[in-house]
Amino acid sequence: MNNEPVPGRNARLIVPPLVRAGEEFQVRLLIQHPMETGFRRDVQGDIIEVNLLESLSLDFEGQSVFTARSMNALTANPFLVFVVALKQSGRFNARWLDQRGNAGSISASVRVVAA
């Protein structure tokens, strides 16, 4: 039995729980993923198969905030920061897929109060 974690299944989506309407704030996304390039070797000397995140998206209540298709390696455990301003409370949803078919997603809510 393989006890290794599935790449991309562990993530954090960090948003403040409460923001003022129209005020900019940061949305931070960390995805634990090795982002293997195919150039490294394991302890037996075998090449580790390529496995990169190939698509990533972030939306707020169904409206796209960020969408990317990766064709080259990003750093392992990619950490992305988005600056947004909202008029209403709602939920952020992040989704990603790697080259081995491992999919992941995470959501976080934010409450917006009058300015």
Side-chain angles (χ1 to χ4, degrees), residues 18-75:
L18 186 68
V19 297
R20 294 192 190 285
E23 187 175 280
E24 291 184 347
F25 64 95
Q26 289 185 347
V27 175
R28 297 176 288 173
L29 174 61
L30 170 67
I31 303 170
Q32 291 181 324
H33 194 282
M35 301 297 281
E36 292 296 348
T37 62
F39 297 115
R40 290 185 339 120
R41 295 183 181 270
D42 63 19
V43 293
Q44 288 81 29
D46 297 324
I47 292 177
I48 300 171
E49 184 181 341
V50 173
N51 187 19
L52 305 171
L53 289 179
E54 61 180 28
S55 65
L56 170 66
S57 65
L58 176 72
D59 70 64
F60 179 77
E61 292 297 322
Q63 295 283 66
S64 180
V65 173
F66 176 84
T67 302
R69 291 200 54 84
S70 177
M71 299 180 86
N72 293 314
L74 298 173
T75 184

Side-chain angles (χ1 to χ4, degrees), residues 19-23 86-87 112-115:
V19 297
R20 294 192 190 285
E23 187 175 280
L86 300 174
K87 295 179 182 177
V112 175
V113 296

Side-chain angles (χ1 to χ4, degrees), residues 73-90:
L74 298 173
T75 184
N77 303 320
F79 178 69
L80 302 157
V81 178
F82 309 92
V83 176
V84 297
L86 300 174
K87 295 179 182 177
Q88 66 187 36
S89 300

